[in-house]
Amino acid sequence: MNQVIKAADLKAAGVPAYVIDLKCRPGGPWQRILPGVVLLSANPPTRAQRLQAALAYAGPGAVVTGVDALNAHGLAALPPPPRIHLLQPAATRRSCPDNVLLERTTRPPGVVHHSGLRLAEPTRATLDAARHEPNPLRQHHLLATAVRSGLCTVTALTKELNAGSKRGTAIPRTTLHLLSALLR
């Protein structure tokens, strides 16, 4: 059990709001890990619990993307970033807590369900991670690792890059061009 639940679901199950507030006080058995999301444990949340909480907070149309999605797809060589990266439909307007990056999109990715998580398909997750990586060397490493692992192809990454937003794509474009030349 991941022990992550929305406060609204607790109330719908008959738990009064004052009980939730009481149990979420400092030193209590529960904690609020995002607005409206409760962890039914006093222990620090695991990364998996943080991912579940971020999805619960963002709503039903949200999907995990970036490095966390790549890790779930089996690319464990990449360390998780400080913020969980989610894509949400463009019509959704949620505020963004400090430890979650909510990015609105008019091009929802293909969704893969894994361990109770809604994940962006690997090609989209790779490019989302690369676009938000400020270090060009780490961007190159991320793209090369995804291609070497067989999770993505240069052709699929280039096609996705051309179809999506142009923001933050200069270095990934250059890297993909270089990888394409190296693989010929």
Short mmCIF file of all heavy atoms in Angstrom, two decimals, residues 67 70 75 78-79 85 125-148 157 161 166-179:
data_model
loop_
_atom_site.label_atom_id
_atom_site.label_comp_id
_atom_site.label_asym_id
_atom_site.label_seq_id
_atom_site.Cartn_x
_atom_site.Cartn_y
_atom_site.Cartn_z
N VAL A 67 12.82 12.35 -15.94
CA VAL A 67 13.69 11.32 -15.39
C VAL A 67 12.91 10.29 -14.55
O VAL A 67 13.21 9.09 -14.62
CB VAL A 67 14.84 11.96 -14.57
CG1 VAL A 67 15.65 10.90 -13.86
CG2 VAL A 67 15.73 12.79 -15.48
N LEU A 70 11.46 7.88 -16.91
CA LEU A 70 12.52 7.04 -17.49
C LEU A 70 12.99 5.99 -16.49
O LEU A 70 13.24 4.84 -16.86
CB LEU A 70 13.68 7.91 -17.95
CG LEU A 70 13.38 8.81 -19.15
CD1 LEU A 70 14.55 9.75 -19.42
CD2 LEU A 70 13.05 7.99 -20.37
N LEU A 75 15.27 2.76 -16.97
CA LEU A 75 16.54 3.47 -17.15
C LEU A 75 16.98 4.02 -15.79
O LEU A 75 16.86 5.20 -15.50
CB LEU A 75 16.35 4.60 -18.17
CG LEU A 75 17.60 5.18 -18.80
CD1 LEU A 75 18.39 4.12 -19.53
CD2 LEU A 75 17.23 6.29 -19.76
N LEU A 78 19.92 7.13 -14.28
CA LEU A 78 19.75 8.58 -14.12
C LEU A 78 19.26 8.91 -12.72
O LEU A 78 18.24 8.38 -12.27
CB LEU A 78 18.74 9.09 -15.15
CG LEU A 78 19.08 8.80 -16.61
CD1 LEU A 78 17.90 9.16 -17.50
CD2 LEU A 78 20.32 9.56 -17.03
N PRO A 79 19.96 9.79 -12.01
CA PRO A 79 19.51 10.15 -10.66
C PRO A 79 18.24 11.00 -10.73
O PRO A 79 18.10 11.82 -11.63
CB PRO A 79 20.68 10.96 -10.09
CG PRO A 79 21.41 11.47 -11.29
CD PRO A 79 21.20 10.48 -12.39
N HIS A 85 8.47 15.93 -12.30
CA HIS A 85 8.00 16.57 -13.52
C HIS A 85 6.72 15.88 -14.00
O HIS A 85 6.72 14.69 -14.27
CB HIS A 85 9.10 16.47 -14.58
CG HIS A 85 8.83 17.28 -15.81
ND1 HIS A 85 9.76 17.37 -16.82
CD2 HIS A 85 7.79 18.02 -16.22
CE1 HIS A 85 9.28 18.14 -17.78
NE2 HIS A 85 8.08 18.53 -17.43
N ALA A 125 9.16 11.27 -22.56
CA ALA A 125 9.79 11.46 -21.25
C ALA A 125 11.25 11.85 -21.41
O ALA A 125 11.76 12.72 -20.69
CB ALA A 125 9.66 10.19 -20.41
N THR A 126 11.94 11.24 -22.36
CA THR A 126 13.36 11.55 -22.61
C THR A 126 13.52 13.01 -23.04
O THR A 126 14.37 13.74 -22.52
CB THR A 126 13.94 10.61 -23.69
OG1 THR A 126 13.82 9.27 -23.22
CG2 THR A 126 15.40 10.93 -23.97
N LEU A 127 12.70 13.44 -23.98
CA LEU A 127 12.81 14.82 -24.46
C LEU A 127 12.37 15.83 -23.41
O LEU A 127 12.97 16.90 -23.29
CB LEU A 127 12.03 15.00 -25.76
CG LEU A 127 12.69 14.33 -26.96
CD1 LEU A 127 11.80 14.41 -28.17
CD2 LEU A 127 14.05 14.95 -27.24
N ASP A 128 11.36 15.50 -22.63
CA ASP A 128 10.96 16.40 -21.54
C ASP A 128 12.09 16.56 -20.53
O ASP A 128 12.37 17.66 -20.05
CB ASP A 128 9.70 15.89 -20.85
CG ASP A 128 8.45 16.09 -21.70
OD1 ASP A 128 8.46 16.93 -22.62
OD2 ASP A 128 7.45 15.38 -21.44
N ALA A 129 12.76 15.46 -20.22
CA ALA A 129 13.89 15.52 -19.28
C ALA A 129 15.03 16.35 -19.88
O ALA A 129 15.63 17.18 -19.20
CB ALA A 129 14.39 14.11 -18.95
N ALA A 130 15.32 16.13 -21.16
CA ALA A 130 16.42 16.86 -21.81
C ALA A 130 16.13 18.35 -21.90
O ALA A 130 17.01 19.18 -21.65
CB ALA A 130 16.68 16.29 -23.20
N ARG A 131 14.89 18.71 -22.23
CA ARG A 131 14.54 20.14 -22.35
C ARG A 131 14.68 20.88 -21.02
O ARG A 131 14.92 22.08 -21.01
CB ARG A 131 13.11 20.30 -22.86
CG ARG A 131 12.95 20.02 -24.33
CD ARG A 131 11.57 20.38 -24.89
NE ARG A 131 10.43 19.96 -24.08
CZ ARG A 131 9.71 20.79 -23.31
NH1 ARG A 131 9.98 22.05 -23.23
NH2 ARG A 131 8.69 20.33 -22.62
N HIS A 132 14.53 20.17 -19.92
CA HIS A 132 14.60 20.84 -18.61
C HIS A 132 15.94 20.64 -17.91
O HIS A 132 16.10 21.07 -16.77
CB HIS A 132 13.45 20.36 -17.72
CG HIS A 132 12.13 20.90 -18.16
ND1 HIS A 132 11.71 22.17 -17.84
CD2 HIS A 132 11.16 20.37 -18.94
CE1 HIS A 132 10.54 22.40 -18.39
NE2 HIS A 132 10.19 21.31 -19.07
N GLU A 133 16.89 20.03 -18.58
CA GLU A 133 18.23 19.85 -18.02
C GLU A 133 19.09 21.04 -18.46
O GLU A 133 19.37 21.20 -19.64
CB GLU A 133 18.85 18.54 -18.51
CG GLU A 133 20.30 18.34 -18.11
CD GLU A 133 20.53 18.48 -16.62
OE1 GLU A 133 19.97 17.70 -15.86
OE2 GLU A 133 21.29 19.41 -16.24
N PRO A 134 19.53 21.89 -17.51
CA PRO A 134 20.28 23.09 -17.90
C PRO A 134 21.73 22.82 -18.32
O PRO A 134 22.32 23.61 -19.04
CB PRO A 134 20.24 23.95 -16.63
CG PRO A 134 20.04 22.98 -15.51
CD PRO A 134 19.25 21.84 -16.08
N ASN A 135 22.29 21.68 -17.90
CA ASN A 135 23.69 21.38 -18.20
C ASN A 135 23.78 20.64 -19.54
O ASN A 135 23.27 19.53 -19.67
CB ASN A 135 24.28 20.53 -17.08
CG ASN A 135 25.74 20.24 -17.28
OD1 ASN A 135 26.15 19.74 -18.32
ND2 ASN A 135 26.53 20.54 -16.27
N PRO A 136 24.45 21.24 -20.55
CA PRO A 136 24.53 20.60 -21.87
C PRO A 136 25.18 19.21 -21.84
O PRO A 136 24.74 18.33 -22.58
CB PRO A 136 25.38 21.57 -22.69
CG PRO A 136 25.30 22.87 -21.99
CD PRO A 136 25.08 22.55 -20.54
N LEU A 137 26.17 19.00 -20.99
CA LEU A 137 26.80 17.68 -20.92
C LEU A 137 25.85 16.64 -20.36
O LEU A 137 25.79 15.50 -20.84
CB LEU A 137 28.08 17.74 -20.09
CG LEU A 137 29.24 18.51 -20.72
CD1 LEU A 137 30.42 18.60 -19.77
CD2 LEU A 137 29.65 17.88 -22.04
N ARG A 138 25.08 17.02 -19.35
CA ARG A 138 24.10 16.08 -18.79
C ARG A 138 22.96 15.83 -19.78
O ARG A 138 22.43 14.73 -19.85
CB ARG A 138 23.57 16.59 -17.45
CG ARG A 138 24.59 16.42 -16.33
CD ARG A 138 23.98 16.50 -14.95
NE ARG A 138 23.34 17.76 -14.66
CZ ARG A 138 23.86 18.72 -13.90
NH1 ARG A 138 25.04 18.55 -13.34
NH2 ARG A 138 23.21 19.84 -13.69
N GLN A 139 22.61 16.86 -20.56
CA GLN A 139 21.60 16.67 -21.61
C GLN A 139 22.08 15.63 -22.62
O GLN A 139 21.34 14.72 -22.98
CB GLN A 139 21.37 18.00 -22.35
CG GLN A 139 20.10 18.68 -22.00
CD GLN A 139 19.83 19.86 -22.92
OE1 GLN A 139 20.34 19.94 -24.03
NE2 GLN A 139 19.02 20.77 -22.44
N HIS A 140 23.33 15.79 -23.04
CA HIS A 140 23.91 14.85 -24.01
C HIS A 140 23.94 13.44 -23.41
O HIS A 140 23.56 12.47 -24.08
CB HIS A 140 25.32 15.31 -24.39
CG HIS A 140 26.00 14.39 -25.35
ND1 HIS A 140 25.82 14.50 -26.71
CD2 HIS A 140 26.81 13.33 -25.15
CE1 HIS A 140 26.52 13.54 -27.30
NE2 HIS A 140 27.13 12.82 -26.38
N HIS A 141 24.37 13.33 -22.16
CA HIS A 141 24.44 12.02 -21.49
C HIS A 141 23.05 11.38 -21.42
O HIS A 141 22.89 10.19 -21.67
CB HIS A 141 25.03 12.18 -20.09
CG HIS A 141 24.97 10.94 -19.26
ND1 HIS A 141 25.76 9.84 -19.50
CD2 HIS A 141 24.18 10.61 -18.21
CE1 HIS A 141 25.47 8.89 -18.63
NE2 HIS A 141 24.51 9.35 -17.84
N LEU A 142 22.05 12.16 -21.06
CA LEU A 142 20.69 11.66 -20.93
C LEU A 142 20.20 11.10 -22.27
O LEU A 142 19.68 9.98 -22.33
CB LEU A 142 19.79 12.80 -20.46
CG LEU A 142 18.36 12.44 -20.12
CD1 LEU A 142 17.91 13.27 -18.93
CD2 LEU A 142 17.43 12.67 -21.27
N LEU A 143 20.35 11.87 -23.34
CA LEU A 143 19.89 11.42 -24.66
C LEU A 143 20.67 10.19 -25.13
O LEU A 143 20.08 9.22 -25.63
CB LEU A 143 20.00 12.55 -25.67
CG LEU A 143 19.03 13.72 -25.45
CD1 LEU A 143 19.43 14.92 -26.29
CD2 LEU A 143 17.61 13.29 -25.77
N ALA A 144 21.99 10.22 -24.95
CA ALA A 144 22.82 9.09 -25.38
C ALA A 144 22.48 7.83 -24.58
O ALA A 144 22.42 6.73 -25.14
CB ALA A 144 24.30 9.44 -25.23
N THR A 145 22.24 7.97 -23.30
CA THR A 145 21.89 6.83 -22.45
C THR A 145 20.56 6.22 -22.88
O THR A 145 20.43 4.99 -22.95
CB THR A 145 21.83 7.26 -20.97
OG1 THR A 145 23.11 7.78 -20.58
CG2 THR A 145 21.47 6.09 -20.06
N ALA A 146 19.57 7.06 -23.18
CA ALA A 146 18.26 6.56 -23.62
C ALA A 146 18.38 5.80 -24.94
O ALA A 146 17.76 4.75 -25.12
CB ALA A 146 17.27 7.70 -23.75
N VAL A 147 19.23 6.31 -25.85
CA VAL A 147 19.41 5.64 -27.15
C VAL A 147 20.20 4.35 -26.97
O VAL A 147 19.82 3.30 -27.49
CB VAL A 147 20.10 6.59 -28.16
CG1 VAL A 147 20.52 5.85 -29.42
CG2 VAL A 147 19.17 7.75 -28.51
N ARG A 148 21.30 4.40 -26.22
CA ARG A 148 22.13 3.20 -25.99
C ARG A 148 21.35 2.08 -25.31
O ARG A 148 21.56 0.91 -25.58
CB ARG A 148 23.35 3.54 -25.14
CG ARG A 148 24.56 3.97 -25.93
CD ARG A 148 25.84 3.93 -25.10
NE ARG A 148 25.69 4.37 -23.73
CZ ARG A 148 25.89 5.62 -23.30
NH1 ARG A 148 26.24 6.55 -24.13
NH2 ARG A 148 25.72 5.92 -22.03
N LEU A 157 13.13 10.08 -31.43
CA LEU A 157 13.39 11.30 -30.65
C LEU A 157 13.34 12.54 -31.55
O LEU A 157 12.75 13.56 -31.17
CB LEU A 157 14.74 11.21 -29.95
CG LEU A 157 14.80 10.26 -28.76
CD1 LEU A 157 16.25 10.00 -28.35
CD2 LEU A 157 14.01 10.80 -27.58
N LEU A 161 10.73 15.54 -31.25
CA LEU A 161 11.28 16.89 -31.06
C LEU A 161 10.70 17.85 -32.08
O LEU A 161 10.34 18.98 -31.75
CB LEU A 161 12.81 16.84 -31.17
CG LEU A 161 13.58 18.06 -30.72
CD1 LEU A 161 13.38 18.30 -29.23
CD2 LEU A 161 15.05 17.89 -31.01
N LYS A 166 9.17 24.14 -29.36
CA LYS A 166 10.55 24.44 -29.76
C LYS A 166 11.38 24.98 -28.59
O LYS A 166 12.59 25.12 -28.70
CB LYS A 166 10.57 25.45 -30.92
CG LYS A 166 9.76 25.01 -32.13
CD LYS A 166 10.17 23.65 -32.64
CE LYS A 166 9.33 23.22 -33.83
NZ LYS A 166 8.84 21.87 -33.74
N ARG A 167 10.71 25.26 -27.48
CA ARG A 167 11.39 25.81 -26.31
C ARG A 167 12.37 24.79 -25.72
O ARG A 167 12.02 23.64 -25.46
CB ARG A 167 10.35 26.20 -25.26
CG ARG A 167 10.92 26.91 -24.05
CD ARG A 167 9.85 27.20 -23.04
NE ARG A 167 9.25 25.94 -22.65
CZ ARG A 167 7.99 25.80 -22.27
NH1 ARG A 167 7.19 26.81 -22.23
NH2 ARG A 167 7.52 24.62 -21.92
N GLY A 168 13.61 25.19 -25.56
CA GLY A 168 14.62 24.34 -24.94
C GLY A 168 15.10 23.19 -25.80
O GLY A 168 15.58 22.19 -25.27
N THR A 169 15.02 23.33 -27.13
CA THR A 169 15.37 22.20 -28.00
C THR A 169 16.68 22.36 -28.76
O THR A 169 17.07 21.44 -29.48
CB THR A 169 14.25 21.94 -29.03
OG1 THR A 169 14.11 23.09 -29.88
CG2 THR A 169 12.93 21.63 -28.36
N ALA A 170 17.37 23.46 -28.63
CA ALA A 170 18.59 23.67 -29.42
C ALA A 170 19.66 22.61 -29.12
O ALA A 170 20.20 22.00 -30.05
CB ALA A 170 19.14 25.08 -29.18
N ILE A 171 19.97 22.41 -27.87
CA ILE A 171 21.01 21.43 -27.52
C ILE A 171 20.55 20.00 -27.82
O ILE A 171 21.31 19.23 -28.40
CB ILE A 171 21.48 21.61 -26.06
CG1 ILE A 171 22.19 22.97 -25.94
CG2 ILE A 171 22.41 20.49 -25.63
CD1 ILE A 171 22.53 23.38 -24.54
N PRO A 172 19.30 19.61 -27.47
CA PRO A 172 18.88 18.27 -27.86
C PRO A 172 18.93 18.04 -29.38
O PRO A 172 19.32 16.96 -29.83
CB PRO A 172 17.44 18.18 -27.33
CG PRO A 172 17.42 19.08 -26.16
CD PRO A 172 18.33 20.22 -26.55
N ARG A 173 18.59 19.06 -30.17
CA ARG A 173 18.68 18.93 -31.63
C ARG A 173 20.11 18.64 -32.07
O ARG A 173 20.37 17.76 -32.88
CB ARG A 173 18.20 20.21 -32.30
CG ARG A 173 16.83 20.16 -32.77
CD ARG A 173 16.40 21.45 -33.44
NE ARG A 173 15.06 21.77 -33.03
CZ ARG A 173 14.00 21.05 -33.37
NH1 ARG A 173 14.13 20.02 -34.15
NH2 ARG A 173 12.81 21.37 -32.94
N THR A 174 21.04 19.42 -31.53
CA THR A 174 22.45 19.24 -31.87
C THR A 174 22.93 17.86 -31.44
O THR A 174 23.62 17.17 -32.19
CB THR A 174 23.31 20.34 -31.20
OG1 THR A 174 22.81 21.61 -31.61
CG2 THR A 174 24.77 20.21 -31.55
N THR A 175 22.56 17.45 -30.24
CA THR A 175 22.97 16.13 -29.73
C THR A 175 22.40 15.01 -30.60
O THR A 175 23.11 14.06 -30.93
CB THR A 175 22.51 15.96 -28.27
OG1 THR A 175 23.12 16.98 -27.48
CG2 THR A 175 22.89 14.60 -27.73
N LEU A 176 21.13 15.12 -30.96
CA LEU A 176 20.52 14.08 -31.80
C LEU A 176 21.16 14.03 -33.18
O LEU A 176 21.35 12.95 -33.74
CB LEU A 176 19.01 14.29 -31.91
CG LEU A 176 18.22 14.01 -30.63
CD1 LEU A 176 16.76 14.39 -30.80
CD2 LEU A 176 18.36 12.55 -30.22
N HIS A 177 21.52 15.19 -33.71
CA HIS A 177 22.22 15.22 -35.01
C HIS A 177 23.57 14.51 -34.89
O HIS A 177 23.94 13.71 -35.74
CB HIS A 177 22.40 16.67 -35.47
CG HIS A 177 23.04 16.80 -36.80
ND1 HIS A 177 22.39 16.46 -37.97
CD2 HIS A 177 24.27 17.21 -37.16
CE1 HIS A 177 23.21 16.66 -38.98
NE2 HIS A 177 24.35 17.12 -38.52
N LEU A 178 24.28 14.77 -33.79
CA LEU A 178 25.57 14.11 -33.55
C LEU A 178 25.40 12.60 -33.35
O LEU A 178 26.14 11.80 -33.94
CB LEU A 178 26.25 14.73 -32.32
CG LEU A 178 27.56 14.10 -31.86
CD1 LEU A 178 28.64 14.25 -32.94
CD2 LEU A 178 28.02 14.75 -30.56
N LEU A 179 24.42 12.20 -32.56
CA LEU A 179 24.17 10.77 -32.35
C LEU A 179 23.79 10.07 -33.66
O LEU A 179 24.24 8.95 -33.91
CB LEU A 179 23.06 10.57 -31.31
CG LEU A 179 23.41 10.86 -29.86
CD1 LEU A 179 22.17 10.78 -28.98
CD2 LEU A 179 24.47 9.91 -29.36
#
